[in-house]
Structure formats: structure tokens, C-alpha cells
Amino acid sequence: ILTVQAKGYAPDLKHFTVHKPMKPLEFRLEPGRTIRGRIVDSAGHPVAGAFVAADTWRGHRSLEWRVDTDAEGRFEWNDAPADEVLFDMGKQDYMSVRNYGMSPSEQEYEITMPDVLKVHGKVVDAETGELIPEFNLLSGIDWGEDRPVSWQRRNINTYTQGHYETRFTYPYPAHLIRIEAEDYKPGISRAIGSDEGEVTIDFALEKGMGPTG
């Protein structure tokens, strides 16, 4: 797969198999097209400084284009291809937007960037109701469709004093939280949607231990 980009022109992409003998590849670039858009928050206010990046085009992730939105939340790409490109967009403290399809048009796209997902709560002993002084929190991805949960064990966070707060910025199908504490059975939250904003989920852990032998 070879992708060619040049300023002022639309990109082109070719699939080919290297063999011998092989004729030279020829690319005939068409004039660049324009994709323009504006990113706003959930209240309709412009989001300045959000990145917008080309991700997938014609089934491949070979395009190189990225820009930040201006003070009005706007962006413009004047060297775009004629067909659809999937874009990623994001900014700190917002839920990112992934695989958003846009094609050249006279109209301006308006994309809403949701608020970051915040989940907080307390962790207590189910029998006594007392706060558990130290525990670990794992985030998980619930893919649905009977697929197994992907627990992110590389990103374990330890909390003290019985309370936690965590944030999610990637719009997975659903998020899960797993709480683990010594001498207790783990607790697992319900599936949390990426668009829920701010959520309180408390855990009451039962006493227990792992296998012995």
C-alpha cells in the first residue's frame, strides 16, 4: 500500500504486489477538496485547541493530517480526498470522538464533544459499613455481544481513605470498574455509558479470600 500526499492536491492510494518485472507506479493527483467543521461542547460552546486528525481512509490508516481547532472551534482541510475519511478528535477534560466520518462539502460539520466521564464513590465493608482504608481500582472495557471484558491491569490505581474518583476519555461501548482489596471479594460495577457525564457508584465488599491449597 502506497499513499501519496502533496500540498494543494487530494491524496491517492494504491494497492500493489511487488514482483519482477514490475512497471513503475503512476499517481495522477486531483485538486484538493475541502472538509471544514466546528467542534462544540455539550452546551454548544466552541472547543478551542482540540486536535482533529485523519485516522482511516479507504480501509487504511496511512494519511498524515492533523490540526488544532481555532478560537471558534473551527478547522479546515483543503487537501482532502473526494471520498470519506474517518477522523479522531480530542482534548483534555473532554470525551474524545473517534472514527467520525466526513467528506468534502460546502456545508460545515458541527461535532459535539461530550464531557469527560467522571465516576466516583466510596468503598465500604458490607457487614460493618466502615470505609475500607486501602483498595485497588481497575478499569475495564465492556464490548458487549458476549465478548469478554478487557481489564486494564497495566493501569491499576491505589486509593486510600475509602473513596475513589476516576475519569474516562475514550468512548468505548461501555466502561466497568473493579475494586479489589485484601481479605475481600472483588466488586464489579454495572456497565457505565461513555455519555453519562458524572456518576456515583458505591461498593460494599464482602469478606473473602482467594484459593488456597
Side-chain angles (χ1 to χ4, degrees):
I1 300 157
L2 190 61
T3 304
V4 174
Q5 291 179 251
K7 188 171 180 60
Y9 293 90
D12 194 12
L13 179 150
K14 290 185 183 296
H15 299 80
F16 60 94
T17 300
V18 178
H19 60 275
K20 194 174 183 178
M22 181 177 176
K23 294 181 180 180
L25 293 174
E26 183 177 275
F27 291 84
R28 294 178 178 269
L29 301 186
E30 299 179 355
R33 310 296 180 89
T34 298
I35 295 176
R36 56 177 61 87
R38 182 170 182 257
I39 298 179
V40 298
D41 62 18
S42 55
H45 301 132
V47 179
F51 79 82
V52 183
D55 184 275
T56 304
W57 175 54
R58 298 182 184 177
H60 300 285
R61 305 178 73 183
S62 58
L63 281 181
E64 293 288 340
W65 184 80
R66 178 181 172 124
V67 73
D68 291 342
T69 56
D70 63 16
E72 294 298 320
R74 288 187 164 87
F75 62 90
E76 185 171 296
W77 185 18
N78 296 312
D79 305 326
D83 48 346
E84 184 181 66
V85 178
L86 301 182
F87 293 84
D88 292 339
M89 308 166 208
K91 186 181 179 181
Q92 188 174 1
D93 297 328
Y94 291 90
M95 180 66 67
S96 60
V97 177
R98 302 285 169 166
N99 295 319
Y100 189 95
M102 291 188 286
S103 304
S105 172
E106 294 297 324
Q107 302 298 317
E108 179 181 75
Y109 287 89
E110 182 166 292
I111 303 102
T112 299
M113 188 170 287
D115 296 333
V116 66
L117 173 61
K118 300 177 183 178
V119 186
H120 53 80
K122 62 183 178 180
V123 179
V124 302
D125 183 298
E127 183 177 348
T128 66
E130 295 181 355
L131 295 173
I132 295 177
E134 183 172 321
F135 55 89
N136 293 328
L137 182 149
L138 288 80
S139 61
I141 304 167
D142 184 356
W143 301 104
E145 301 177 352
D146 296 323
R147 294 172 60 185
V149 174
S150 298
W151 293 108
Q152 308 299 297
R153 288 203 168 269
R154 293 183 178 180
N155 299 313
I156 298 178
N157 293 307
T158 300
Y159 292 85
T160 58
Q161 301 180 353
H163 291 84
Y164 74 91
E165 180 174 316
T166 189
R167 298 152 63 93
F168 299 94
T169 60
Y170 196 99
Y172 288 115
H175 304 269
L176 292 171
I177 289 175
R178 177 185 175 101
I179 301 295
E180 298 178 350
E182 189 174 358
D183 297 329
Y184 288 91
K185 299 176 183 178
I188 299 177
S189 73
R190 62 171 178 83
I192 309 165
S194 295
D195 59 353
E196 293 191 37
E198 187 166 348
V199 182
T200 300
I201 298 180
D202 296 327
F203 291 85
L205 302 188
E206 298 178 355
K207 286 284 188 178
M209 59 186 299
T212 61

XYZ file of all heavy atoms in Angstrom, residues 1-5 11-13 15 51 53-66 77 84-89 97-100 170:
321
model
N 0.859 -1.172 0.000
C 0.000 0.000 0.000
C 0.901 1.230 0.000
O 1.773 1.367 0.861
C -0.908 0.029 1.248
C -1.793 -1.219 1.282
C -1.744 1.291 1.283
C -2.273 -1.545 2.668
N 0.692 2.101 -0.963
C 1.492 3.317 -1.044
C 0.542 4.512 -1.124
O -0.371 4.534 -1.942
C 2.393 3.289 -2.277
C 3.459 4.392 -2.378
C 4.430 4.329 -1.209
C 4.223 4.282 -3.697
N 0.756 5.480 -0.235
C -0.084 6.678 -0.183
C 0.762 7.888 -0.521
O 1.868 8.045 0.002
C -0.699 6.841 1.224
O -1.413 5.651 1.557
C -1.645 8.023 1.267
N 0.228 8.740 -1.388
C 0.933 9.950 -1.815
C 0.118 11.170 -1.422
O -1.091 11.226 -1.657
C 1.170 9.927 -3.341
C 1.762 11.259 -3.804
C 2.087 8.781 -3.726
N 0.774 12.164 -0.796
C 0.142 13.430 -0.444
C 1.025 14.575 -0.915
O 2.256 14.503 -0.815
C -0.056 13.537 1.074
C -1.091 12.571 1.635
C -1.228 12.694 3.143
O -0.814 11.804 3.874
N -1.818 13.787 3.601
N -5.000 13.433 -1.866
C -4.093 12.282 -1.799
C -4.571 11.147 -2.703
O -5.708 11.136 -3.171
C -4.141 11.879 -0.320
C -5.477 12.349 0.147
C -5.761 13.608 -0.620
N -3.700 10.194 -2.928
C -4.058 8.998 -3.678
C -3.410 7.804 -2.995
O -2.392 7.937 -2.302
C -3.590 9.106 -5.133
C -4.247 8.050 -6.015
O -5.206 7.414 -5.557
O -3.793 7.870 -7.162
N -4.030 6.642 -3.191
C -3.558 5.423 -2.532
C -3.658 4.280 -3.525
O -4.653 4.147 -4.241
C -4.407 5.149 -1.291
C -4.111 3.909 -0.440
C -4.493 4.181 1.024
C -4.875 2.691 -0.944
N -2.942 -0.066 -4.067
C -2.559 -1.398 -3.602
C -1.761 -2.064 -4.716
O -2.136 -1.973 -5.883
C -3.796 -2.247 -3.312
C -4.679 -1.697 -2.242
N -5.584 -0.680 -2.459
C -4.801 -2.030 -0.940
C -6.236 -0.414 -1.347
N -5.780 -1.221 -0.405
N -7.632 18.677 19.064
C -6.953 18.141 17.885
C -7.969 17.445 16.978
O -8.952 16.856 17.433
C -5.826 17.179 18.273
C -6.280 15.790 18.667
C -6.556 14.830 17.689
C -6.421 15.435 19.991
C -6.977 13.553 18.036
C -6.834 14.152 20.347
C -7.116 13.223 19.363
N -7.606 14.786 13.673
C -6.607 14.013 12.938
C -7.277 12.994 12.034
O -8.242 12.324 12.440
C -5.668 13.301 13.910
N -6.769 12.888 10.806
C -7.240 11.843 9.900
C -6.820 10.487 10.457
O -5.675 10.316 10.876
C -6.663 12.060 8.505
N -7.743 9.528 10.458
C -7.433 8.218 11.000
C -7.475 7.130 9.930
O -6.449 6.515 9.632
C -8.400 7.866 12.131
C -8.052 6.549 12.799
O -8.477 5.502 12.279
O -7.350 6.557 13.829
N -8.646 6.891 9.341
C -8.787 5.790 8.395
C -9.357 6.296 7.074
O -10.331 7.059 7.057
C -9.713 4.697 8.970
O -9.198 4.259 10.229
C -9.804 3.511 8.022
N -8.746 5.856 5.991
C -9.206 6.229 4.650
C -9.047 5.025 3.736
O -7.971 4.428 3.681
C -8.389 7.417 4.135
C -8.684 7.831 2.725
C -9.910 8.143 2.201
C -7.738 8.006 1.669
N -9.786 8.492 0.877
C -8.456 8.423 0.524
C -6.359 7.857 1.575
C -7.854 8.675 -0.694
C -5.743 8.104 0.367
C -6.483 8.521 -0.752
N -10.136 4.679 3.081
C -10.151 3.512 2.188
C -9.659 2.249 2.902
O -8.958 1.407 2.325
C -9.341 3.775 0.929
C -9.898 4.929 0.088
C -9.111 5.137 -1.184
N -9.612 6.307 -1.914
C -9.069 6.759 -3.043
N -8.012 6.157 -3.567
N -9.580 7.822 -3.639
N -9.991 2.164 4.178
C -9.656 0.978 4.948
C -8.257 0.937 5.517
O -7.865 -0.057 6.127
N -7.499 2.038 5.367
C -6.114 2.046 5.842
C -5.841 3.319 6.658
O -6.467 4.357 6.448
C -5.140 1.963 4.668
C -5.313 0.731 3.846
N -4.883 -0.505 4.267
C -5.905 0.540 2.635
C -5.192 -1.406 3.356
N -5.805 -0.799 2.354
N -4.871 3.214 7.548
C -4.505 4.354 8.405
C -3.181 4.931 7.913
O -2.184 4.908 8.612
C -4.413 3.893 9.854
C -5.679 3.211 10.347
C -5.555 2.727 11.770
N -5.576 3.830 12.714
C -5.421 3.680 14.028
N -5.215 2.491 14.538
N -5.454 4.728 14.820
N -3.193 5.456 6.698
C -1.941 5.901 6.081
C -1.891 7.401 5.807
O -0.856 7.912 5.380
C -1.720 5.131 4.766
O -2.804 5.325 3.877
N -2.987 8.121 6.031
C -2.980 9.567 5.806
C -2.289 10.286 6.955
O -2.434 9.903 8.122
C -4.400 10.111 5.669
C -5.113 9.913 4.334
C -6.501 10.550 4.399
C -4.313 10.508 3.191
N -1.567 11.348 6.628
C -0.910 12.174 7.643
C -1.533 13.572 7.601
O -1.233 14.366 6.710
C 0.598 12.262 7.365
C 1.350 10.948 7.533
C 1.487 10.543 8.991
O 1.359 11.433 9.859
O 1.713 9.354 9.258
N -2.451 13.823 8.532
C -3.027 15.171 8.638
C -3.553 15.364 10.043
O -4.270 14.515 10.578
C -4.159 15.384 7.632
C -4.688 16.792 7.687
C -4.133 17.895 7.108
C -5.841 17.247 8.394
N -4.880 19.016 7.412
C -5.941 18.643 8.196
C -6.813 16.619 9.176
C -6.963 19.415 8.746
C -7.831 17.388 9.732
C -7.892 18.766 9.517
N -3.187 16.488 10.638
C -3.626 16.817 11.998
C -3.584 18.320 12.177
O -2.669 18.994 11.686
C -2.720 16.129 13.035
C -3.080 16.462 14.482
C -2.122 15.766 15.432
N -2.318 16.218 16.803
C -2.588 15.427 17.825
N -2.699 14.130 17.623
N -2.752 15.908 19.045
N -9.569 21.551 6.209
C -8.556 20.791 5.478
C -8.810 20.998 3.993
O -9.832 20.578 3.470
C -8.641 19.316 5.848
C -7.562 18.464 5.235
C -6.385 18.884 4.696
C -7.572 17.040 5.117
N -5.643 17.832 4.258
C -6.348 16.677 4.500
C -8.466 16.052 5.477
C -6.022 15.347 4.230
C -8.140 14.734 5.215
C -6.923 14.388 4.598
N -14.887 9.700 1.659
C -14.980 9.849 3.114
C -13.680 9.467 3.820
O -12.996 8.516 3.451
C -16.113 8.974 3.652
C -16.341 9.133 5.151
C -17.438 8.245 5.692
O -17.256 7.000 5.679
O -18.479 8.770 6.117
N -13.376 10.237 4.868
C -12.255 9.960 5.770
C -12.822 9.867 7.188
O -13.703 10.648 7.561
C -11.183 11.065 5.698
C -10.044 10.774 6.681
C -10.646 11.215 4.283
N -12.318 8.922 7.968
C -12.700 8.821 9.375
C -11.686 9.590 10.212
O -10.477 9.426 10.041
C -12.752 7.363 9.824
C -13.718 6.452 9.055
C -13.702 5.047 9.651
C -15.124 7.014 9.052
N -12.186 10.428 11.124
C -11.342 11.309 11.918
C -11.457 10.988 13.405
O -12.496 10.529 13.886
C -11.743 12.773 11.713
C -11.480 13.304 10.334
C -12.388 13.097 9.305
C -10.321 14.022 10.063
C -12.150 13.594 8.027
C -10.075 14.523 8.793
C -10.989 14.298 7.772
N -10.361 11.288 14.144
C -10.361 11.279 15.604
C -10.217 12.715 16.091
O -9.501 13.515 15.478
C -9.197 10.445 16.152
C -9.353 8.971 15.854
O -10.493 8.534 15.603
O -8.341 8.249 15.879
N -10.917 13.028 17.199
C -10.848 14.368 17.773
C -10.790 14.259 19.285
O -11.422 13.369 19.868
C -12.089 15.182 17.375
C -12.357 15.177 15.882
S -14.001 15.777 15.466
C -14.267 14.886 13.924
N -13.806 11.960 20.406
C -14.695 11.500 19.338
C -13.834 10.667 18.386
O -12.783 11.133 17.942
C -15.329 12.691 18.591
C -16.186 12.209 17.428
C -16.154 13.543 19.554
N -14.260 9.461 18.078
C -13.440 8.551 17.285
C -14.200 8.066 16.049
O -15.410 7.853 16.088
C -13.030 7.331 18.131
C -12.261 7.700 19.393
C -10.835 8.104 19.078
N -10.183 8.691 20.248
C -8.876 8.892 20.348
N -8.077 8.541 19.354
N -8.356 9.453 21.416
N -13.443 7.899 14.960
C -13.985 7.348 13.714
C -15.212 8.113 13.229
O -16.221 7.521 12.832
C -14.311 5.857 13.882
C -13.070 5.024 14.129
O -12.035 5.244 13.506
N -13.167 4.079 15.040
N -15.106 9.434 13.262
C -16.190 10.298 12.789
C -15.996 10.534 11.294
O -14.979 11.085 10.864
C -16.163 11.627 13.552
C -17.358 12.514 13.301
C -18.456 12.483 14.154
C -17.387 13.376 12.210
C -19.554 13.301 13.929
C -18.485 14.194 11.977
C -19.562 14.146 12.838
O -20.657 14.955 12.610
N -12.085 7.950 26.582
C -12.213 7.228 25.310
C -13.608 6.616 25.232
O -14.040 5.930 26.165
C -11.153 6.139 25.186
C -10.975 5.631 23.774
C -9.937 6.096 22.982
C -11.860 4.705 23.222
C -9.769 5.640 21.669
C -11.698 4.257 21.922
C -10.652 4.723 21.158
O -10.503 4.277 19.861
